[in-house]
C-alpha cells in the first residue's frame, strides 16, 4: 500500500496538484466523487480551460505568490465562494454550490508545482448567514417601532446627531418635519384601537414611501411622526410635506362599508447654520410650527426658518 | 493580563532594522508577483499597549471612511496575529495596480480579494523573514477580511488578550501613486518575551 496515496485519497478535503501553467497533475478521490470527474480523465488538462468560470489571471497570480513567498496563498470563501463548482444536493441549503476555502501551498518549488487544498465551508457559511439575518432582525427590533416599522426616537436621535455633523461639514441643508395625525383620539374612540393602529400603519407606509433613501422617518409618540430630510432646504422640505399632506388627505380607510377620512398637520424647520443649533432646538421649532398648523384649522403645512 | 512589556531604545532600533530587512523581501515579492515595480517605504514602528491601541483604532477609524481590515493568526514560538489596515481610497489605487478597471473598482468582493492577496504577501514574507532572523518557526492561518467604518464595531474581546501591539506603518509606492497601509502585529506576552530575548541575542552578537 502506498501510504501517501492512501492519505491523498481518504482525506476529507479536495486536493489538486497544479504546475505553474495551471495544468492538473493530480486530482484526489474526494473531488472525483463530488464532481463525477475521474483523475484519469482530467489529468494533464488546464484547470481554467476545464472550468472556464475560474479567473485564469487571478489563479495564476495566487500560484505565483505561493511559489515566490514560499508560503501559502489563499482563495477565500469570502469573496470567492468557490473554486470548483460542486452542486449541493440539499433541500435546506441556501447555496447552490459548495462554499470553499482554498489554500495554495508550494509543493515542489524547483519544479514550480503547487498543491491546492479545498475545504468545504458550506455548513459554517449557512450558520453565519443565519446569524447575520438574526442580527439584522435584532437591530430592527431595537431601532424600530414594533407597530409601524418606522424608526423609534432613540435611533432617530443617534442618526440626527451624525446627520447634523455631516450637514455642518459639507455645508448642506437639513430639514425636520414634525407630523401629527389630526383628531386621532376621535378615530380611536369611535372605531377602536385596531382601526387606530391601521391608520398609524397606513400613514407610516405613506411617509416611508414618499421620502428618499437618504431621509428617515421616526415615530415619536402616539400619533406624532418626525421626518429628517438630508440635503433639503426649507423650500424642498415644505414641498415634500405638502405632497405628503395631499396623499394622506386622499387616502381612505374602509370600516364596515364606511370610509374614514384622515388628515395631518405639519411643522417644517431647517437647521440654522449661523446658530449652530442642536437637534433638540430644531425639533422644538418644528413642533411649535406644528402647533400653529393645528391652531389654524389643521390639515396644513406651516414652515419657517 | 500581565504588565506591559517595554522595549528599550536598543531593542526598538534592532527591531526596526529587522523589519527593514523583512520588508525588503516583501517588496521583492510584490514586484515579482504582479510584475510592477513596487517599493515599500522605511516602516515607522510604534509599540503600544492595549489602551493605546484602542485609542489608535478609535482615531484611525473615526473619520467616517471605509477601512479594509484583514487579520491572520500566527502559530509558533512567535505567536499572535497580524492585521493589515488600509482605507478604501488606497485600496482602489492598489486595485489599479492589479489591473482592475471600471466597475471592478467599485466591487467590494474584487477589492477584498486584492487586499487579501497583498496583505498575505506582506504578512507572510515579512513575518517569515523576521521569524528566520530571530530563529523561530511560524505558520499562518487563512486570512479573514472585513470592511469597517467605525472602531466601535471593531472592538473585539481578543484585543484584551494582547498586552503588546507593534504597529508598522508603511507606504507601498508604485510608479504612479502612493498607497498607505499599516501592518499591525499583535503578539502575546510569551511571544513578546521571546522577541525581546531574540533581539538581545542579536544585540550581543553585534
Amino acid at each position: 500500500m502506498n501510504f501517501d496515496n492512501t492519505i491523498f485519497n481518504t482525506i476529507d478535503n479536495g486536493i489538486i496538484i497544479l504546475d505553474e501553467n495551471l495544468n492538473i497533475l493530480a486530482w484526489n478521490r474526494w473531488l472525483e466523487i463530488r464532481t463525477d470527474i475521474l483523475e484519469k480523465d482530467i489529468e494533464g488538462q488546464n484547470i481554467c480551460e476545464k472550468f472556464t468560470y475560474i479567473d485564469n489571471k487571478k489563479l495564476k497570480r495566487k500560484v505565483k505568490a505561493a511559489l515566490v513567498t514560499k508560503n501559502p496563498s489563499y482563495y477565500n470563501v469570502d469573496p470567492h465562494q468557490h473554486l470548483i463548482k460542486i452542486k449541493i444536493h440539499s433541500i435546506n441549503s441556501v447555496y447552490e454550490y459548495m462554499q470553499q476555502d482554498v489554500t495554495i501551498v508550494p509543493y515542489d518549488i524547483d519544479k514550480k508545482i503547487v498543491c491546492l487544498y479545498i475545504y468545504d465551508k458550506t455548513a459554517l457559511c449557512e450558520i453565519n448567514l443565519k446569524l447575520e439575518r438574526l442580527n439584522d432582525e435584532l437591530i430592527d427590533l431595537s431601532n424600530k417601532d414594533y407597530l409601524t416599522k418606522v424608526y423609534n426616537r432613540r435611533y432617530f436621535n443617534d442618526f440626527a446627531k451624525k446627520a447634523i455633523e455631516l450637514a455642518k461639514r459639507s455645508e448642506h441643508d437639513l430639514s425636520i418635519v414634525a407630523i401629527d395625525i389630526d383628531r386621532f383620539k376621535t378615530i380611536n374612540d369611535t372605531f377602536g384601537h385596531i382601526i387606530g393602529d391601521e391608520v398609524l400603519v397606513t400613514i407610516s407606509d405613506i411617509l416611508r414611501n414618499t421620502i428618499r433613501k437618504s431621509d428617515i422617518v421616526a415615530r415619536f409618540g402616539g400619533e406624532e411622526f418626525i421626518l429628517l430630510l438630508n440635503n433639503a432646504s426649507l423650500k424642498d422640505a415644505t414641498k415634500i410635506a405638502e405632497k405628503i399632506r395631499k396623499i394622506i388627505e386622499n387616502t381612505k380607510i374602509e370600516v364596515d362599508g364606511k370610509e374614514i377620512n384622515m388628515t395631518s398637520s405639519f411643522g417644517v424647520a431647517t437647521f440654522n447654520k449661523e446658530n449652530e443649533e442642536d437637534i433638540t432646538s430644531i425639533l422644538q421649532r418644528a413642533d411649535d410650527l406644528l402647533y400653529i398648523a393645528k391652531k389654524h384649522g389643521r390639515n396644513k403645512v406651516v414652515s419657517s426658518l | 493580563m500581565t504588565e506591559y512589556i517595554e522595549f528599550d531604545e536598543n531593542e526598538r532600533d534592532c527591531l526596526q532594522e529587522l523589519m527593514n530587512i523583512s520588508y525588503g523581501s516583501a517588496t521583492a515579492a510584490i514586484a515579482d508577483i504582479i510584475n510592477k515595480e513596487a517599493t515599500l517605504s522605511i516602516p515607522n514602528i510604534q509599540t503600544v499597549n492595549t489602551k493605546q491601541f484602542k485609542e489608535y483604532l478609535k482615531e484611525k477609524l473615526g473619520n467616517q471612511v471605509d477601512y479594509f481590515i484583514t487579520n491572520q493568526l500566527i502559530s509558533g514560538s512567535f505567536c499572535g496575529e497580524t492585521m493589515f489596515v488600509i482605507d478604501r481610497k488606497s485600496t482602489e489605487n492598489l486595485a489599479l495596480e492589479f489591473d482592475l478597471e471600471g466597475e471592478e473598482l467599485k466591487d467590494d468582493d474584487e477589492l477584498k480579494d486584492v487586499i487579501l492577496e497583498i496583505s498575505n504577501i506582506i504578512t507572510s514574507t515579512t513575518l517569515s523573514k523576521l521569524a528566520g532572523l530571530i530563529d523561530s518557526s511560524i505558520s499562518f492561518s487563512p486570512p479573514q477580511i472585513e470592511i469597517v467604518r467605525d472602531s466601535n464595531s471593531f472592538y473585539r474581546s481578543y484585543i484584551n488578550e494582547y498586552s503588546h501591539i507593534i504597529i508598522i506603518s508603511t507606504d507601498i509606492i508604485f510608479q504612479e501613486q502612493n498607497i498607505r497601509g499599516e501592518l499591525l502585529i499583535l503578539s502575546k506576552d510569551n511571544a513578546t518575551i521571546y522577541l525581546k530575548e531574540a533581539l538581545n541575542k542579536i544585540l550581543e552578537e553585534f
Side-chain angles (χ1 to χ4, degrees), chain B:
Chain B
M1 205 171 74
T2 59
E3 211 175 299
Y4 176 58
I5 301 156
E6 278 284 3
F7 283 85
D8 65 27
E9 200 178 328
N10 285 338
E11 289 162 349
R12 210 187 303 268
D13 282 349
C14 183
L15 181 61
Q16 172 90 39
E17 200 48 51
L18 293 181
M19 279 298 170
N20 289 349
I21 297 164
S22 305
Y23 254 51
S25 314
T27 305
I30 291 168
D32 194 354
I33 292 158
I34 65 170
N35 295 322
K36 293 203 175 159
E37 274 312 310
T39 52
L40 289 165
S41 65
I42 293 173
N44 173 287
I45 296 178
Q46 312 169 55
T47 51
V48 296
N49 60 25
T50 311
K51 188 171 175 285
Q52 291 165 323
F53 181 58
K54 282 189 176 180
E55 281 160 10
Y56 159 86
L57 276 181
K58 200 171 178 178
E59 194 181 329
K60 186 160 187 66
L61 307 178
N63 51 5
Q64 294 295 302
V65 173
D66 282 351
Y67 278 87
F68 288 70
I69 300 182
T70 66
N71 80 307
Q72 221 167 337
L73 291 172
I74 315 163
S75 307
S77 45
F78 183 63
C79 61
E81 66 186 277
T82 63
M83 286 188 204
F84 186 74
V85 183
I86 184 166
D87 68 35
R88 183 177 285 277
K89 187 70 203 141
S90 282
T91 300
E92 286 171 4
N93 289 343
L94 193 56
L96 288 168
E97 298 298 332
F98 274 67
D99 299 329
L100 266 65
E101 50 193 17
E103 282 305 297
E104 289 175 328
L105 294 168
K106 298 288 166 217
D107 182 338
D108 279 356
D109 282 352
E110 290 290 346
L111 295 176
K112 276 181 181 179
D113 187 51
V114 164
I115 295 306
L116 279 167
E117 216 163 310
I118 204 89
S119 73
N120 183 55
I121 294 166
I122 292 174
T123 302
S124 63
T125 47
T126 303
L127 271 291
S128 298
K129 189 76 184 172
L130 178 68
L133 292 166
I134 62 172
D135 207 17
S136 163
S137 289
I138 55 170
S139 73
F140 304 97
S141 66
Q144 307 297 315
I145 187 161
E146 61 182 305
I147 301 172
V148 174
R149 186 164 265 253
D150 67 275
S151 59
N152 288 339
S153 63
F154 198 64
Y155 284 160
R156 293 203 193 104
S157 55
Y158 75 71
I159 286 174
N160 296 326
E161 280 190 43
Y162 300 97
S163 59
H164 203 281
I165 295 120
I166 304 166
I167 301 175
I168 305 164
S169 311
T170 185
D171 288 328
I172 307 166
I173 303 154
F174 289 91
Q175 214 166 10
E176 297 297 315
Q177 55 198 346
N178 278 19
I179 290 149
R180 185 159 195 78
E182 278 176 352
L183 176 65
L184 315 177
I185 301 170
L186 292 78
S187 55
K188 301 212 170 163
D189 290 341
N190 289 347
T192 309
I193 292 163
Y194 181 90
L195 178 63
K196 205 175 158 72
E197 285 170 357
L199 292 172
N200 282 304
K201 211 167 148 186
I202 293 166
L203 286 165
E204 277 167 27
E205 285 172 13
F206 292 96

Side-chain angles (χ1 to χ4, degrees), chain A residues 77-247:
Chain A
V77 68
D78 174 21
H80 296 107
Q81 297 198 321
H82 47 67
L83 175 71
I84 306 287
K85 283 184 179 175
I86 296 173
K87 275 263 186 204
I88 292 175
H89 303 288
S90 163
I91 53 167
N92 294 323
S93 183
V94 293
Y95 297 107
E96 187 181 359
Y97 299 108
M98 179 195 286
Q99 302 297 289
Q100 299 159 7
D101 255 343
V102 181
T103 303
I104 304 166
V105 295
Y107 185 74
D108 186 328
I109 288 172
D110 295 336
K111 291 180 182 166
K112 296 189 174 172
I113 293 171
V114 294
C115 179
L116 277 64
Y117 294 106
I118 301 173
Y119 302 93
D120 181 357
K121 292 283 176 177
T122 313
L124 191 63
C125 289
E126 299 262 12
I127 291 166
N128 284 344
L129 204 63
K130 278 177 192 162
L131 282 172
E132 270 174 40
R133 283 177 184 168
L134 286 169
N135 196 37
D136 288 346
E137 280 175 34
L138 273 175
I139 290 168
D140 261 10
L141 280 170
S142 67
N143 290 338
K144 289 185 177 174
D145 171 54
Y146 76 98
L147 173 69
T148 59
K149 302 290 179 279
V150 298
Y151 290 109
N152 55 28
R153 186 189 284 236
R154 190 183 58 80
Y155 179 84
F156 177 90
N157 286 336
D158 290 345
F159 184 92
K161 277 175 197 159
K162 289 176 191 164
I164 284 182
E165 284 308 312
L166 193 65
K168 278 181 197 170
R169 274 208 307 270
S170 53
E171 295 188 350
H172 282 160
D173 288 317
L174 183 145
S175 296
I176 295 289
V177 182
I179 305 160
D180 193 88
I181 304 170
D182 297 332
R183 296 193 174 89
F184 183 72
K185 192 179 178 304
T186 310
I187 294 172
N188 253 343
D189 292 347
T190 312
F191 302 101
H193 286 284
I194 292 172
I195 300 302
D197 286 354
E198 202 178 320
V199 168
L200 289 168
V201 170
T202 304
I203 286 182
S204 299
D205 289 345
I206 291 168
L207 297 175
R208 211 181 7 239
N209 295 330
T210 313
I211 58 173
R212 301 159 304 175
K213 272 188 178 168
S214 56
D215 307 331
I216 65 163
V217 52
R219 185 180 174 197
F220 256 47
E223 67 267 33
E224 188 177 352
F225 295 89
I226 301 287
L227 303 182
L228 184 148
L229 307 176
N230 271 304
N231 204 4
S233 65
L234 188 69
K235 195 178 166 188
D236 299 332
T238 306
K239 214 182 272 184
I240 292 167
E242 186 56 34
K243 184 182 171 184
I244 293 168
R245 189 196 65 75
K246 281 180 184 163
I247 295 171

Side-chain angles (χ1 to χ4, degrees), chain A residues 57-71:
Chain A
K57 193 178 171 190
K58 201 178 271 186
L59 185 59
K60 231 175 185 163
R61 199 172 56 224
K62 288 176 191 294
V63 166
K64 196 173 183 182
L67 291 168
V68 168
T69 64
K70 300 182 181 67
N71 276 300

